[in-house]
């Protein structure tokens, strides 16, 4: 397909002209489709006004399949959280390693060593800039398989803890490279949905872990170690899928451009973003912006990874880092880890002491989280990131406040109604977090980084997220034993601060290419500038729907 100079002018390949507030999208037939208003950047709006690629075309379907393979990287953290939460409720596991049922410092170390591995493993993001996003994911998944073999056969607590460190260290390499990859391959118009769905498989991992522990416990009982060792072995299942199939996925076009492989980057965009149309305006626009970014930021190299000055050398970049670091901390320190890691303990505190019941509640929690986070991923492209985060923070504030109040009521009166309400709003806490934070937790920090900042910035955000999780997870057993419901109340007040920070400082990334965010962060008030859009009408004519 070819385009006139006037049509190419609209894409931003020349000077960007002023566009009407509402620009109808024309399909390949020239017909206009009128279905939904979507807010996007002017240059992207211009390209879409010429021709919007069919999101169900052959190239896009291949992109979705490649994305699905990478999604399995996100199961590793979810699997571990639910696995430890579930087996910590099994008497034969705690007895084998000499851990008290009520929890102590050793229990906290078993959980929190995973966060230490996260912080250390974050520095290995150098592999993503050096070898490419795919190789980094493959190395990480191979390391998780090795770590699984160690934890599954460990006969002493120190060996078990060491194996968990390796699981986290290598898992972090894969699960930090994967969001970078997803951010960089996702089409701009659907970036929130495609990249946001990545972390929803966190709950798939959680469901797999909690269900496997439940099934093993029911059918194998407490007489052997199999009911907790078998789920430990299954921890390598999803990493093995990635390790085998990642080689059939395309490399990130932004990494390819950054290392001087322009032809391969263009071929990827043509095949996966334009359904094979070599002359599509989106391909020209994206290539132009990526090349400009390389000229502005310099090519990628492993040596540059050790120079962290570019993360902070301009006001715009300092603002990017402030937002990324804040969100990384919020994602691990909003109170949700109480339910993710210590739901059985929370249930025990409100009178649910039967192990089987605790495991069943754990499964229900993870299924709900998976459903809500998957729906929420789509709404990031409808409502935008900022509104979604504000809705989530509001839900967490309400849920934590009620969890604290009902837990206090149960402890003081033994009320069964208070106990049931506490369980319900513990689920409400998890669903509120899942609505916006689960899908965007590994994605949003990468979105607000420029291409040359992304690997290093994600490394620093990974360290901050690991620190936030370590503090909340390590402190949780002692806090839940000593201050009980006040622990939940603390997080309710903290989430009020999060709400205010999101409102005044967070930037909207919906509807823009990664390169187009540069001018947003260089404006006097990035948060305010980010909510100004051109609106276009998107939809498909009957003829467009038939294009494959």
């Amino acid at each position: 397909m070819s385009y006139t100079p006037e049509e190419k002018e609209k894409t931003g390949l020349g000077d960007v002209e002023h566009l009407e507030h509402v620009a109808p999208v024309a399909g390949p037939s020239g017909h206009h489709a009128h279905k939904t208003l979507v807010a996007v950047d002017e240059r992207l709006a211009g390209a879409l006004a010429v021709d919007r690629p069919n999101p169900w075309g052959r190239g896009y379907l291949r992109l979705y399949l490649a994305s699905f393979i990478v999604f399995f990287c996100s199961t590793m953290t979810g699997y571990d959280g639910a696995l430890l939460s579930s087996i910590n409720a099994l008497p034969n596991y705690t007895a084998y390693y000499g851990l008290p049922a009520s929890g102590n410092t050793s229990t906290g170390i078993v959980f929190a060593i995973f966060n230490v591995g996260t912080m250390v493993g974050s520095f290995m993001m150098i592999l993503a800039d050096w070898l490419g996003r795919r190789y980094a994911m493959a190395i990480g998944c191979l390391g998780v398989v090795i770590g699984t073999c160690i934890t599954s056969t460990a006969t002493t607590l120190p060996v078990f803890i060491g194996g968990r460190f390796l699981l986290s260290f290598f898992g972090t390499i894969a699960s930090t490279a994967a969001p970078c990859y997803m951010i960089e391959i996702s089409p701009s118009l659907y970036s929130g949905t495609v990249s946001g769905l990545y972390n929803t498989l966190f709950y798939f991992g959680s469901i797999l872990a909690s269900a496997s522990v439940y099934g093993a416990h029911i059918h194998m009982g407490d007489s052997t170690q199999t009911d907790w060792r078998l789920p430990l072995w299954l921890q390598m299942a999803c990493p093995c899928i990635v390790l085998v199939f990642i080689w059939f996925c395309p490399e990130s076009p932004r990494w390819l451009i950054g290392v001087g492989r322009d032809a391969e980057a263009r071929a990827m965009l043509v095949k996966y973003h334009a359904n094979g149309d070599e002359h599509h305006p989106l391909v020209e626009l994206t290539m132009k912006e990526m090349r400009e970014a390389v000229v502005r930021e310099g090519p990628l190299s492993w040596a540059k990874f050790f120079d962290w000055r570019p993360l902070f050398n301009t006001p715009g970049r300092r603002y990017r880092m402030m937002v990324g670091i804040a969100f990384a901390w919020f994602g691990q320190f909003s109170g949700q880890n109480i339910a993710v890691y210590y739901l059985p303990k929370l249930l025990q505190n409100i009178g649910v002491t039967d192990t089987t019941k605790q495991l069943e509640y754990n499964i229900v929690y993870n299924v709900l989280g998976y459903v809500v986070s998957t729906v929420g991923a789509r709404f990031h492209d409808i409502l935008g990131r900022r509104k979604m985060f504000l809705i989530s923070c509001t839900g967490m504030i309400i849920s934590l406040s009620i969890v604290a109040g009902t837990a206090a009521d149960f402890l003081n009166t033994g009320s069964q109604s208070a106990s049931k309400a506490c369980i319900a709003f513990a689920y409400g806490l998890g669903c509120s977090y899942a609505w916006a934070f689960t899908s965007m937790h590994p994605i949003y920090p990468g979105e607000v980084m420029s291409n040359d900042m992304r690997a290093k910035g994600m490394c620093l955000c990974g360290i901050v997220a690991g620190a936030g999780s370590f503090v909340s997870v390590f402190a949780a057993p002692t806090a839940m034993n000593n201050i009980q419901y006040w622990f939940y109340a603390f997080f309710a007040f903290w989430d009020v601060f999060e709400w205010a920070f999101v409102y005044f400082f967070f930037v909207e990334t919906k509807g823009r290419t990664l390169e187009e965010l540069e001018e947003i962060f260089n404006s006097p008030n990035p948060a305010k500038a980010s909510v100004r859009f051109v609106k276009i009408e998107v939809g498909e004519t009957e003829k467009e729907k038939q294009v494959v």
Side-chain angles (χ1 to χ4, degrees):
M1 182 181 295
S2 61
Y3 300 94
T4 67
E6 290 77 13
E7 289 175 325
K8 288 188 176 182
E9 182 74 16
K10 284 187 178 182
T11 69
L13 301 179
D15 293 330
V16 179
E17 63 181 50
H18 175 72
L19 300 175
E20 293 297 327
H21 183 63
V22 177
V25 176
S29 63
H31 293 112
H32 292 287
H34 301 275
K35 291 185 74 174
T36 309
L37 285 175
V38 176
V40 297
D41 180 87
E42 281 192 36
R43 284 164 290 182
L44 182 58
L48 293 172
V50 175
D51 181 17
R52 185 173 73 99
N54 180 6
W56 299 109
R58 186 172 298 170
Y60 274 72
L61 292 178
R62 288 170 174 167
L63 182 68
Y64 302 152
L65 181 59
S67 300
F68 182 70
I69 298 302
V70 176
F71 288 173
F72 281 101
C73 286
S74 75
T75 63
M76 290 184 279
T77 304
Y79 191 100
D80 186 82
L83 174 66
L84 264 290
S85 176
S86 296
I87 67 173
N88 200 49
L90 301 179
N92 56 335
Y93 160 76
T94 54
Y96 184 86
Y97 287 122
L99 301 171
S102 59
N104 64 359
T105 302
S106 294
T107 304
I109 291 173
V110 170
F111 280 93
I113 193 64
F114 199 85
N115 306 119
V116 176
T118 297
M119 290 185 279
V120 178
S122 295
F123 287 103
M124 297 306 293
M125 269 301 290
I126 184 177
L127 296 174
D129 274 357
W130 179 24
L131 301 175
R133 312 317 193 202
R134 293 189 308 164
Y135 272 96
M137 286 186 275
I139 292 169
C141 289
L142 178 61
V144 170
V145 172
I146 295 171
T148 297
C149 294
I150 294 173
T151 57
S152 302
T153 57
T155 56
T156 64
L157 187 59
V159 173
F160 185 74
I161 292 173
R164 284 186 47 72
F165 174 84
L166 289 178
L167 278 171
S168 178
F169 176 82
F170 285 105
T172 298
I173 297 173
S175 60
T176 309
C180 282
Y181 178 84
M182 289 307 309
I183 292 164
E184 292 171 352
I185 71 164
S186 296
S188 301
L189 194 58
Y190 311 106
S191 61
T193 304
V194 176
S195 60
L197 281 171
Y198 163 79
N199 208 43
T200 62
L201 262 72
F202 170 96
Y203 285 106
F204 179 81
S206 298
I207 294 166
L208 182 62
S210 53
S212 64
V213 174
Y214 177 76
H217 176 70
I218 291 295
H219 296 289
M220 299 174 184
D222 298 332
S223 58
T224 68
Q225 301 171 22
T226 311
D227 65 337
W228 58 273
R229 288 208 185 267
L230 177 60
L232 288 174
W233 278 111
L234 289 175
Q235 196 159 9
M236 70 166 66
C238 292
C240 281
I241 293 174
V242 179
L243 193 57
V244 171
F245 291 104
I246 191 63
W247 311 111
F248 299 96
C249 301
E251 183 54 271
S252 159
R254 288 174 171 85
W255 181 80
L256 291 170
I257 283 280
V259 295
R261 293 158 63 177
D262 292 32
E264 292 175 63
R266 182 183 176 82
M268 185 276 173
L269 294 173
V270 168
K271 183 176 181 178
Y272 294 95
H273 284 202
N275 293 320
D277 184 354
E278 293 187 12
H279 304 291
H280 196 283
L282 280 178
V283 175
E284 303 301 330
L285 173 63
T286 307
M287 286 297 296
K288 175 178 180 288
E289 290 182 337
M290 290 193 300
R291 284 168 176 155
E292 288 175 349
V294 172
V295 171
R296 182 174 62 248
E297 300 160 3
L300 294 176
S301 72
W302 66 268
K304 283 188 174 182
F305 186 85
F306 298 100
D307 182 7
W308 286 37
R309 289 173 297 177
L311 298 181
F312 305 99
N313 61 6
T314 68
R317 290 182 170 230
R318 288 192 289 272
Y319 197 101
R320 288 176 187 262
M321 291 307 302
M322 177 190 72
V323 171
I325 288 172
F327 187 72
W329 181 270
F330 293 167
Q332 294 295 336
F333 200 77
S334 297
Q336 85 288 351
N337 280 335
I338 298 170
V340 172
Y341 286 95
Y342 294 108
L343 183 60
K345 177 62 178 174
L346 186 153
L347 294 170
Q348 185 178 338
N349 279 352
I350 55 176
V352 181
T353 56
D354 180 68
T355 300
T356 302
K357 275 288 182 188
Q358 291 176 1
L359 294 175
E360 289 172 352
Y361 278 122
N362 220 14
I363 293 172
V364 172
Y365 176 88
N366 291 313
V367 170
L368 278 175
Y370 183 53
V371 172
V372 173
S373 63
T374 301
V375 174
R378 178 66 189 110
F379 274 84
H380 275 292
D381 278 335
I382 298 173
L383 298 179
R385 315 316 190 232
R386 282 167 50 89
K387 288 181 182 177
M388 292 288 287
F389 295 151
L390 292 172
I391 292 170
S392 270
C393 286
T394 301
M396 288 191 290
I397 292 166
I398 294 171
S399 297
L400 281 163
S401 300
I402 295 176
V403 166
T406 52
D409 187 22
F410 173 79
L411 289 175
N412 293 327
T413 66
S415 168
Q416 289 303 305
S417 297
S419 175
K420 292 176 181 177
C422 187
I423 294 171
F425 280 92
Y427 286 159
L429 168 63
C431 288
S432 297
Y433 179 87
W435 171 248
F437 279 77
T438 294
S439 55
M440 280 292 120
H441 181 244
I443 301 298
Y444 186 72
E447 284 187 331
V448 301
M449 308 287 176
S450 61
N451 291 336
D452 67 320
M453 295 174 66
R454 191 162 295 117
K456 288 177 283 193
M458 293 288 279
C459 168
L460 186 55
C461 288
I463 295 169
V464 171
S469 185
F470 178 85
V471 172
S472 61
V473 170
F474 183 73
T478 304
M480 293 174 78
N481 282 333
N482 296 335
I483 62 174
Q484 297 175 330
Y485 54 84
W486 286 110
F487 190 50
Y488 317 135
F490 163 78
F491 279 110
F493 285 110
W494 172 260
D495 286 349
V496 173
F497 167 75
E498 284 190 11
W499 191 99
F501 196 96
V502 169
Y503 182 82
F504 288 107
F505 297 108
F506 272 31
V507 165
E508 182 56 67
T509 60
K510 181 191 77 169
R512 290 185 171 88
T513 65
L514 299 176
E515 290 75 21
E516 287 163 356
L517 288 169
E518 179 72 19
E519 59 193 69
I520 296 296
F521 283 102
N522 289 334
S523 64
N525 188 337
K528 187 175 180 179
S530 70
V531 296
R532 296 170 183 161
F533 294 100
V534 169
K535 291 187 177 180
I536 64 169
E537 293 183 20
V538 299
E540 297 173 329
T541 64
E542 289 301 313
K543 185 171 183 179
E544 286 177 298
K545 291 180 182 178
Q546 296 170 7
V547 176
V548 179

